[in-house]
Amino acid sequence: MTTNLPFRTLKRATDSAIRKRPQPKRAHLVQSSTFTTSLRLRVEEDVDPADRPRWQQTPKAMVAPVPTNFKREHMTFKVNESQEKLDEVYVRILGAGGDRLLPEEVKWLAITHKSFDHGRRGFNDRLAYFGKRVVDLQTSLALLTAPDPEIQNSSNPQLDEFGRTPFQHHSLNGLDKLTESAKAKELDKSRLAQLAESYGLAKVIRWKPKNVSSPLRVVSNMVINMLTAVQTRNLAGSGIDVVLAHTIYAIVGAITLQNGGEIGNRIVKDRVLNPLGL
């Protein structure tokens, strides 16, 4: 179909339609009220979802057009979404200014387990793998340099069952501390989990337990309290100790990759090994 309107008239009408099309509002950087030198990415409610970072929402391409599982309120496990609470935990773990050692996206990535949102928002497995190598190395060095009370308290070497004197040399002292069992005893998941809970890490990690709560219908306050107790027990049964230890390693890996080995090693010594007694 042809038109008799001149070309200039058509062009003006097209340009006017383009200018009138509403543009989505984008996220902007505003200065933090807590630390005036740090910039924080704040996404407002009216921001276009396409402009939000990946850690804040599930990527649209990874969402099925039709959900296969319907949401059930009693099976919903709520996680922290507050940036202020997360920054407070990083300050407890890393010391003063610890919330400024990592970018916003990395801070959320380090505390996100692969069970959260089916891993669609990213997870901390690779950071934890690298962080565990750093912690293992510093643990071995700490065990080697730690004094051995058995050697210091034994003035005379003990004889074996055949009456022989075992060979001793100062260069071999503490060699048995390099075994996997020695490091595993010091870095037991329950000890790391207790350390993480003392820092408040359990309140901000993002994960999905296998058993959230009982499917019973809540009808009274007594049932609510019972469901809360069941949920607490199920968190332990779902492996929260492993998740907390995994998160500790991930934070160490993120700090080391972002700020270098010198700062990473110091964080491991001061904030992980010293509280564990090494």
Side-chain angles (χ1 to χ4, degrees), residues 34-166:
T34 305
F35 300 98
T36 57
T37 57
S38 65
L39 293 179
R40 179 174 299 164
L41 181 64
R42 296 190 179 276
V43 183
E44 299 180 351
E45 294 181 356
D46 57 347
V47 173
D48 186 6
D51 294 332
R52 295 182 181 179
R54 182 181 179 184
W55 58 264
Q56 197 175 46
Q57 68 170 358
T58 304
K60 186 177 180 180
M62 294 185 177
V63 179
V66 178
T68 57
N69 294 326
F70 296 97
K71 292 185 178 180
R72 292 169 289 182
E73 293 297 330
H74 64 273
M75 295 299 293
T76 301
F77 185 79
K78 296 182 179 180
V79 297
N80 173 61
E81 297 180 357
S82 172
Q83 183 67 50
E84 286 74 16
K85 291 183 180 180
L86 181 63
D87 289 342
E88 291 176 0
V89 172
Y90 272 104
V91 171
R92 294 177 189 172
I93 299 176
L94 305 177
D99 60 329
R100 291 174 287 177
L101 293 178
L102 295 173
E104 297 292 327
E105 183 176 359
V106 179
K107 284 193 290 188
W108 285 101
L109 182 65
I111 54 95
T112 303
H113 190 255
K114 60 184 177 182
S115 61
F116 176 72
D117 198 13
H118 304 284
R120 293 179 294 186
R121 303 192 198 181
F123 46 90
N124 57 7
D125 274 11
R126 294 185 179 183
L127 293 177
Y129 179 83
F130 181 75
K132 192 175 190 307
R133 306 283 82 75
V134 178
V135 176
D136 282 348
L137 174 60
Q138 295 303 320
T139 303
S140 298
L141 296 177
L143 289 174
L144 281 176
T145 57
D148 193 343
E150 295 182 359
I151 297 178
Q152 293 180 352
N153 297 333
S154 60
S155 56
N156 298 323
Q158 297 181 357
L159 303 180
D160 60 6
E161 57 181 344
F162 300 102
R164 298 174 299 186
T165 302

